[in-house]
Each structure stands twice: as C-alpha cells, then as structure tokens.
Amino acid sequence: MRRVLGPWQFLRKQSSYLEAHTRVRGRPIQLSIAEKVPRIRALQHRLQLNDIPADALARSLIDGTSTLDYVNNTGLSRFGRTLLSFYALRHFMIKYPRLPSHVLKHLVHQYTSMPALAEHAKLWGIQPDNRSSLGRYLSGEEDTDGLGFLSYSDKIQEVEPGIQKIQSGSAVTSLTDAMGGCVRAIVASVYAHRGLELVEQFVSQYIIEPRQVDLTQIMAFSKPTRELSVLCAREGMEPPVSRLLAESGRFSSQAVFVAGVFSGDMKLGEGQGTSLNEARTRAAVNALQGWYLFSPKVSNYVDAGEVVI
Amino acid sequence: MPVKAIPVVGSVLRNGVGAFVHPCKRITLRFCNWGGSSKGMRELLRTQLKDIAAKDPKIEFNVLQESGHPVIQGEYTNGVKKTICVRNKNPTEILEKLTFIKDCGGTKLKKYKRAVESTNESVRGVWSPFHVEKEYRFKI
C-alpha cells in the first residue's frame, strides 16, 4: 500500500533529500551586507547589472575552493558554462552555417574556454584575493572583508622565497580557472534574475562581440584542390580549373606566381606563391575559405553539410 | 577529415565593441590630516567627496589618511596604476587631475603615428603589381 505523506513529512523528506544531494557549504550572503561592499557596487555599475542583487554577484565571485565561510559559485558556474556554450554555438551556427561541426565546436571553444573567459574577468576589473584563512585571521580581517574579491585557493604556493609548491586536487585551482568560473557564474546570475532572452543579449554583448578571431586562421586543409573539385561536383558546378593570372621572374630565385581557380566563367578564388603549385593550392584554399565562411543574410539557412573526399 | 581546426594564435579582446567596460576601477585619494600641502585636498574631501563618488558609481573610491603629500592614484583593469601628486593644489586643480585619472584608459601615453590604428585587415588588401592594368604597369 502506498503511504500518503502529510505536508510536514513531505517537507522533511524533501529537506533530507536536499541535504544529501546538494553540496552547499557555508552560510548565505546577506543582501544588506553585500550591498554595502563598494567593490560589488562598482562591479554592478561597470557591467550595468544594477538589477542583479548584490548578494548574487558576491556569490559569483566565491570559487568552490575558497576558504571563506560563504556559499560558493560551483553550481552557478556549472550552469553558466552550459548557457555560454549554448548561446555561442547558436550564434556561430546561424552566422556561419557552412562550418563543419568540429570546426564550429573549436570556434566556440575559442570564445568560452577558461583562458578566454579569464581575459573577460580581467577586463571587467575582477581582482583575486588568494590569501589563506590564517593570513586573513592574522591581519584581523573578517569574512565580509573578502567579499567583492575573487576568492579562491591557488594551487601554486610559495613555500619560501624562490621555492613554489604546486598542489593538485579539488581543494585548489588555478587563477585562470577561478577567473573563468566567476564569469560563468555571473552569466548564470544574469539568467536567474533577467531570464533567458536577456542573458542571450548579455552573452552576445559582453562575451562574443568583443572578441576578434581571424576565422581564416582556424581552418587547415589537407587536400584543398581535391576537396574543391568534389565540392564543385556536389554543387552541380563545372569542375574547377586553375589558371595562371600573372607571373614574375620565373627563372629567378624569387619567382612570384598568381593563380586563379575558375569554375566555367566564375572565379572562385585567387592565391599567390613562389611556385606554380603553391599558387594553385593557395587559390583552392582561398576558394574553400570563401565557401565555408559564407554568412547568409537570412537566418534560416540550411546547409548541405561537410564535403567528403 | 579534409578540414582541420587549428588553434588560433592571436585573438583580440576589444573593449567597446558590443559593450564598453570603464577601464578605471579604483581611485585612492590620499591626504595628510596635518600637512599644509594637503589643505586643498582636505577641503575637497570635506565638501565634494560625496558628489564625486555619487557621480561615478562604476569606480570604487578609497580615502586614505597618511602622512606626506596628497596623492591621487587610479587603478585600471589592465593592471596599471597611475599616480599624481597634488601637493599645494586648490580643489579646482585637484578636480582636474581627478577627471584625468578617471577618464584615462590605463595605457601608457604614446604618440600615434597614423590617423587610424586598427586590428582589422585592410579592406583594400595588400597592393599587388600583378593586378594593375597592363598599360599602367611599370616598364623597364
């Protein structure tokens, strides 16, 4: 027979479940305390996050390895990571629909990896405070004085001048990971207080748009000429033909050739090199880059997929 | 796989594209409670500090009482600190220096040799001798 739980029993069961399944350590940060920390207020205004409560921002700055007796950003940063990679992937999938999936994934990684996010944290003026709890105690500081700094335990500790001890394990982390983690947590706090639509705007304004990545640099082609001819066959175009457009000093030590690759009357790409073969290959790479980095004006473009050779 | 993804060497973070984050994050105003050179600074702090701090909530203001000449120090997001000594200056002059610290980008002062400096590739492209019409080409 199924036992029906009363409200009190249900609540007690719920709370024991929560205790067993959440790893929340430390006490919550009070809004009245967090609001009075000047660093947090300044961060709020610098990032135009005035509507995000100060306690949420203060929590985002406390890493899982922190020795402060406050709740940390472990859960927030894990959720923020998912939000970030989802919106970055969506952004580039719509912008460059012809990019192969592994290149797209790699591109998203350039924007959402920990070192990349740590750069953002630095730009936002987030500063670390990695003193131990003993160090803070000796300088007569309380836990509230650590709010507003990025709080974490560094894995590199200076034992004596000139000698560093590198620790491992889950109790310590690197500065880059802690900085990146707090950016993820801030994204999650923006989601929690503004909702899905506005977090997308925040991610695009503060994470994606400021970064400039040269997209022609992220792809390498192993057999460009062959790939181009397969591509032309697939798209129902005439087979590509390389033609010499200009040359200089063929029999000298510094010869220059300019080759173009044509499909019928259409010029697909152009490249220059010190040998005929190099110029031809560069022209094919140029044409393939033009194909893969196509960006449509309408957003509902569906691509035929990767070229298989 | 014919197309391979390779690590990007130089990706640039451009402040101001998408969103602008104010580079000056903290300003420390140091004054001496006794010295004559801090007279103007003491007056400024007494009368205008609240307005100055309220006008720029994105900057964290610290006031430090220490013996010596009065000093304004700005800390920037790129890790640079800029310090200006404001001894024997009146509040108006100090305010000018404060505005300078506040509006600075935190980069070292340098002479710009070109009218436009950009990380973008040139739209026109590199000049090539092969793309000039034949009749205009240089002939030996």
Side-chain angles (χ1 to χ4, degrees):
Chain A
M1 202 179 92
R2 226 177 120 206
R3 245 180 79 219
V4 180
L5 294 175
W8 168 241
Q9 283 170 316
F10 177 74
L11 271 179
R12 209 167 58 179
K13 202 175 172 194
Q14 282 268 305
S15 66
S16 65
Y17 177 84
L18 281 177
E19 270 170 32
H21 290 86
T22 46
R23 294 202 327 211
V24 175
R25 294 189 204 94
R27 56 206 158 91
I29 302 163
Q30 283 176 3
L31 181 62
S32 56
I33 293 174
E35 269 177 345
K36 283 175 193 151
V37 180
R39 278 181 296 275
I40 294 173
R41 273 186 62 83
L43 182 68
Q44 260 181 333
H45 283 91
R46 220 179 296 133
L47 297 182
Q48 298 179 346
L49 298 175
N50 307 349
D51 52 326
I52 312 291
D55 54 342
L57 274 185
R59 181 178 179 171
S60 305
L61 296 177
I62 300 173
D63 191 74
T65 60
S66 166
T67 50
L68 290 181
D69 186 23
Y70 283 123
V71 283
N72 57 43
N73 71 6
T74 314
L76 281 174
S77 106
R78 231 172 255 174
F79 184 56
R81 175 189 176 180
T82 318
L83 281 173
L84 265 173
S85 49
F86 172 71
Y87 283 120
L89 189 75
R90 205 179 100 140
H91 176 89
F92 290 114
M93 200 180 257
I94 291 170
K95 199 168 178 193
Y96 304 108
R98 283 181 186 164
L99 273 187
S101 62
H102 61 282
V103 180
L104 188 67
K105 210 172 149 191
H106 178 72
L107 180 62
V108 167
H109 185 75
Q110 299 298 319
Y111 282 78
T112 59
S113 65
M114 280 299 201
L117 293 180
E119 276 180 49
H120 286 281
K122 202 186 160 207
L123 184 77
W124 296 353
I126 292 167
Q127 251 191 333
D129 175 29
N130 52 3
R131 284 173 301 168
S132 64
S133 49
L134 180 67
R136 278 204 311 277
Y137 175 75
L138 290 177
S139 62
E141 278 189 16
E142 288 178 20
D143 275 359
T144 46
D145 296 324
L147 289 178
F149 283 115
L150 171 70
S151 176
Y152 76 108
S153 302
D154 205 322
K155 65 177 176 187
I156 300 171
Q157 276 188 331
E158 199 162 6
V159 184
E160 29 181 298
I163 297 176
Q164 286 182 332
K165 183 180 167 194
I166 301 173
Q167 294 167 295
S168 58
S170 60
V172 285
T173 183
S174 67
L175 175 61
T176 312
D177 285 0
M179 293 277 258
C182 90
V183 172
R184 287 174 175 175
I186 288 173
V187 169
S189 328
V190 171
Y191 163 73
H193 295 280
R194 281 188 187 168
L196 261 182
E197 277 174 27
L198 292 172
V199 78
E200 184 183 1
Q201 197 188 345
F202 180 82
V203 168
S204 114
Q205 279 184 344
Y206 282 86
I207 313 278
I208 297 173
E209 281 178 41
R211 189 170 288 282
Q212 187 182 35
V213 175
D214 187 4
L215 287 167
T216 55
Q217 297 284 316
I218 69 162
M219 285 186 292
F221 300 93
S222 54
K223 286 159 188 159
T225 41
R226 193 190 291 181
E227 188 173 341
L228 186 64
S229 58
V230 173
L231 177 69
C232 285
R234 195 189 77 180
E235 295 298 317
M237 292 154 73
E238 285 180 44
V241 181
S242 301
R243 292 197 188 103
L244 187 64
L245 298 179
E247 64 169 275
S248 165
R250 184 183 280 252
F251 299 111
S252 72
S253 63
Q254 277 130 359
V256 181
F257 299 97
V258 179
V261 61
F262 296 84
S263 166
D265 292 340
M266 205 167 21
K267 187 178 178 188
L268 303 177
E270 189 186 296
Q272 64 172 263
T274 51
S275 71
L276 285 168
N277 213 9
E278 189 189 341
R280 197 167 59 106
T281 313
R282 281 187 194 278
V285 167
N286 185 238
L288 284 172
Q289 279 172 349
W291 170 263
Y292 280 122
L293 296 177
F294 161 74
S295 188
K297 280 182 182 162
V298 282
S299 60
N300 54 0
Y301 178 87
V302 180
D303 177 51
E306 201 181 327
V307 180
V308 182
I309 58 170
Chain B
M1 264 180 280
V3 197
K4 273 187 287 181
I6 47 176
V8 181
V9 184
S11 73
V12 196
L13 205 55
R14 302 162 299 176
N15 190 13
V17 181
F20 177 69
V21 182
H22 196 81
C24 182
K25 57 178 176 181
R26 189 173 303 117
I27 290 178
T28 310
L29 303 161
R30 200 184 83 174
F31 76 104
C32 173
N33 215 10
W34 177 80
S37 62
S38 288
K39 199 181 157 212
M41 183 65 121
R42 283 199 296 268
E43 199 188 323
L44 180 90
L45 292 179
R46 199 171 53 242
T47 55
Q48 298 181 46
L49 176 67
K50 239 183 174 177
D51 297 338
I52 294 166
K55 216 189 271 174
D56 283 294
K58 53 189 177 292
I59 301 170
E60 179 195 338
F61 282 93
N62 290 335
V63 179
L64 186 68
Q65 186 192 327
E66 221 174 71
S67 58
H69 287 313
V71 153
I72 303 175
Q73 190 181 56
E75 285 173 51
Y76 300 89
T77 48
N78 59 356
V80 167
K81 284 181 186 176
K82 282 193 178 176
T83 314
I84 298 178
C85 181
V86 285
R87 61 173 180 264
N88 303 323
K89 291 215 177 346
N90 62 36
T92 332
E93 288 167 332
I94 297 175
L95 218 53
E96 258 175 46
K97 295 290 176 197
L98 188 68
T99 316
F100 171 76
I101 289 273
K102 216 160 59 181
D103 296 343
C104 247
T107 48
K108 244 183 168 182
L109 292 179
K110 70 165 189 175
K111 191 185 170 195
Y112 288 93
K113 288 177 184 167
R114 291 164 187 227
V116 178
E117 288 204 0
S118 172
T119 52
N120 292 331
E121 212 180 313
S122 161
V123 176
R124 203 201 82 214
V126 181
W127 180 80
S128 150
F130 305 110
H131 294 84
V132 183
E133 291 295 319
K134 251 187 181 162
E135 59 267 34
Y136 298 117
R137 277 188 203 166
F138 181 74
K139 291 180 198 83
I140 301 169

